[in-house]
Amino acid sequence: MQIPAPFDYVRASSVDNALELLQRHGTESRVIAGGHSLLPMMKLRLARPEWLIDINDLYELDFILRDGDTLRIGAMTRHTTLLESDEIAGIFPIVRDAESVIADPIVRNRGTIGGSLCQADPAEDLSTVCDVLGAEAVIRGPAGERILTMADFHRGPYETAVGQDELLCELRFPLRPRSSSAYEKVERRVGDWAVGAAGAAITLAADGTISDAAVGLTALGLDGTLAEAADVLRGRHPAEELFVEAGRLAAAACDPVDDQRGPVDYKRHLADELTRRVLRLACTRAAKTQEG
Amino acid sequence: MKVSMTVNGNDVTNEIEPRVLLVHYIREVLGLTGTHWGCDTSNCGTCVVLMDGQPVKSCTVLAAMAAGHDIRTVEGLASGGSLDPVQQGFMEEHGLQCGFCTSGMMLTARALLDKNPHPDATEIRQAISGQICRCTGYATIVRSVQWAAAHPAGTGVDDAPAADEVLDGTDTPVPDFATEIVDTEVKA
């Protein structure tokens, strides 16, 4: 029987209250949202917090809001909500692509976007989604609010810029006309982490050329987005040879590890093939928004 | 710490350690052993219960986190002496073999049908994709859920037997194969 080590439990009633509790209980306290990463780690005693601060009552962080040129998503928004949101699927189809293959439907009822990003697993799909969409993270702490780019947010595996006494409250996504996106993942079975995955976001200019592009990889050893691929795509009309070249660059730039999910050469092949597929799909989708 | 929640419509309050998982609270504190405890790692889904109507894996929810919420277990499926159509469907279509995954499967099916009364086979398969049937009886599970969708409660088309008729087991004959297995000598 896997049971966590003893801890004390307290439920936060608001963001301010959560911040107070984090200050009061200090470095041995951890915030719990959906709990589907933290509780398994606590069962294995890889995590032994003395205090758990439950933020599941912070409904103020469960929202999807269109605010001018920005889409704002609260950190406590559950995966299921993100998956089922037609508004998000219309603007950022990459979110539905990714959410439909994150964990399984039952885990998605509990897991949150904020929890996924803060867990910062190298195989976390939403990290790639946020990277390619150019999201910003809104973090609150005792000193007030700060807003970080994803490049500043990510620190490495299982590590982010969110301080011990801080809380990730919101993700902000810029809305761009004539844009679309896509995500594709290869997994061994439902609920497993990715063997590899790729995400892409594309913006077209009025003349149909690619004005901006972002390509990211999941679980394949690439931090952030692939600048070389964006350089190849920008200013050109979407075409198969561009996708092939971007795929080649992705395979060369990534640094996958050999593990039980596959050898390095197979994972590089995935980086290549999945990059081509998501670029193809994102460009097709972006062209449709232009027609509409 | 003290936790209070609603389980199958009943208010319950207990003094527990904060580290008690919901599955153990349900089974050991409340004595409702219809909720099964399997892999401990939120993979197998045998521990699924409904929390505010949504399926959750109770091995990965603290009882403390469920406090104040509405929990429904397999014991809460039958109502008014009648089986839930999902339970009846699992009987009609042989949706269980060993029965280990069954309570979790039925609760997920109930939540699916509450949200989408007419799911197609793909939607049913997606809904149960976080659960493992170790007998690999997925085809009959899907048919069982389809049976339930075709026979919703209260439409008069279901002729579900009363729950006590089914559950007390007094009239159930011992199947022949059981005695055959007992009588078979194991050869070294």
Side-chain angles (χ1 to χ4, degrees):
Chain A
M1 190 187 287
Q2 293 182 8
I3 299 289
F7 56 85
D8 284 309
Y9 170 94
V10 59
R11 236 185 234 204
S13 56
S14 65
V15 172
D16 289 338
N17 180 229
L19 295 175
E20 276 167 32
L21 290 166
L22 280 166
Q23 283 232 295
R24 188 185 310 162
H25 298 301
T27 53
E28 296 307 316
S29 62
R30 287 287 296 272
V31 161
I32 187 162
H36 279 59
S37 297
L38 182 55
L39 284 174
M41 287 175 67
M42 289 170 65
K43 289 177 178 185
L44 296 171
R45 311 291 167 107
L46 293 171
R48 291 184 77 142
E50 289 175 9
W51 280 88
L52 266 196
I53 300 168
D54 184 351
I55 58 168
N56 279 283
D57 285 353
L58 302 193
Y59 298 104
E60 65 202 270
L61 297 184
D62 183 359
F63 60 84
I64 297 168
L65 271 181
R66 207 170 169 151
D67 187 358
D69 292 338
T70 306
L71 186 79
R72 300 170 54 194
I73 299 180
M76 281 302 292
T77 308
R78 312 263 175 200
H79 292 303
T80 299
T81 309
L82 294 170
L83 173 63
E84 292 178 353
S85 166
D86 290 333
E87 184 182 20
I88 293 182
I91 306 167
F92 300 128
I94 188 174
V95 174
R96 183 167 286 175
D97 291 346
E99 283 291 357
S100 62
V101 290
I102 289 176
D104 65 54
I106 299 170
V107 172
R108 290 197 291 264
N109 284 338
R110 295 294 295 164
T112 64
I113 184 171
S116 295
L117 289 173
C118 289
Q119 175 69 12
D121 192 292
E124 175 49 54
D125 303 285
L126 288 185
S127 295
T128 303
V129 169
C130 289
D131 285 349
V132 302
L133 292 179
E136 291 179 323
V138 181
I139 298 166
R140 279 183 57 190
E145 183 179 285
R146 56 196 186 112
I147 300 176
L148 299 183
T149 63
M150 292 318 291
D152 290 334
F153 177 85
H154 297 307
R155 288 280 169 82
Y158 309 105
E159 197 182 350
T160 71
V162 182
Q164 165 60 33
D165 54 357
E166 291 183 313
L167 195 65
L168 173 62
C169 290
E170 180 180 331
L171 282 309
R172 290 186 184 162
F173 300 84
L175 298 171
R176 299 177 179 132
R178 296 186 299 274
S179 296
S180 200
S181 52
Y183 193 78
E184 188 168 331
K185 162 159 135 178
V186 170
E187 58 184 351
R188 298 180 301 180
R189 58 176 170 78
V190 168
D192 194 15
W193 294 108
V195 178
I202 291 287
T203 301
L204 298 177
D207 65 358
T209 57
I210 297 170
S211 60
D212 205 1
V215 174
L217 301 174
T218 306
L220 293 170
L222 177 80
D223 293 333
T225 57
L226 185 65
E228 303 95 296
D231 291 342
V232 163
L233 295 159
R234 231 178 263 122
R236 310 276 299 275
H237 279 279
E240 188 60 26
E241 67 263 25
L242 292 183
F243 308 151
V244 169
E245 178 59 8
R248 194 189 63 75
L249 289 168
C254 71
D255 187 18
V257 294
D258 176 54
D259 62 13
Q260 77 276 20
R261 289 186 178 81
V264 168
D265 57 347
Y266 172 61
K267 292 185 178 183
R268 279 195 197 281
H269 168 73
L270 284 184
D272 182 352
E273 177 61 31
L274 294 177
T275 296
R276 294 187 205 189
R277 288 187 194 175
V278 291
L279 282 171
R280 212 179 280 139
L281 184 55
C283 285
T284 306
R285 286 170 169 172
K288 278 187 188 147
T289 67
Q290 200 162 28
E291 287 161 17
Chain B
M1 67 178 292
K2 189 173 274 190
V3 293
S4 299
M5 66 188 81
T6 309
V7 177
N8 300 329
N10 302 313
D11 293 332
V12 293
T13 297
N14 293 93
E15 191 69 36
I16 57 162
E17 266 193 277
R19 61 175 171 162
V20 171
L21 298 163
L22 182 58
V23 63
H24 300 308
Y25 175 72
I26 290 169
R27 285 176 57 85
E28 286 154 35
V29 180
L30 302 180
L32 296 171
T33 52
T35 300
H36 291 166
W37 165 54
C39 71
D40 247 341
T41 57
S42 69
N43 278 286
C44 79
T46 196
C47 66
V48 164
V49 300
L50 302 187
M51 183 158 151
D52 302 329
Q54 274 195 327
V56 299
K57 294 181 173 177
S58 62
C59 74
T60 311
V61 176
L62 296 169
M65 296 169 83
H69 292 274
D70 182 30
I71 302 297
R72 193 173 178 197
T73 70
V74 68
E75 290 89 347
L77 271 180
S79 69
S82 294
L83 293 180
D84 186 280
V86 167
Q87 292 173 302
Q88 184 67 17
F90 271 68
M91 280 179 57
E92 299 287 341
E93 298 292 342
H94 306 284
L96 65 152
Q97 293 178 55
C98 82
F100 191 65
C101 72
T102 309
S103 41
M105 289 286 185
M106 291 198 303
L107 287 161
T108 298
R110 180 73 269 148
L112 171 67
L113 294 177
D114 286 347
K115 201 169 168 179
N116 175 7
H118 304 291
D120 62 30
T122 304
E123 288 168 325
I124 295 170
R125 284 181 181 275
Q126 277 169 354
I128 61 167
S129 61
Q131 283 156 284
I132 296 170
C133 167
R134 290 164 206 271
C135 311
T136 69
Y138 297 102
T140 52
I141 291 171
V142 171
R143 282 205 290 272
S144 302
V145 181
Q146 286 172 320
W147 189 98
H151 300 80
T155 56
V157 291
D158 62 322
D159 53 350
D164 55 353
E165 263 180 56
V166 176
L167 296 180
D168 72 3
T170 47
D171 296 332
T172 311
V174 178
D176 289 344
F177 69 80
T179 42
E180 282 167 23
I181 289 168
V182 170
D183 292 344
T184 305
E185 273 184 48
V186 179
K187 286 172 187 156

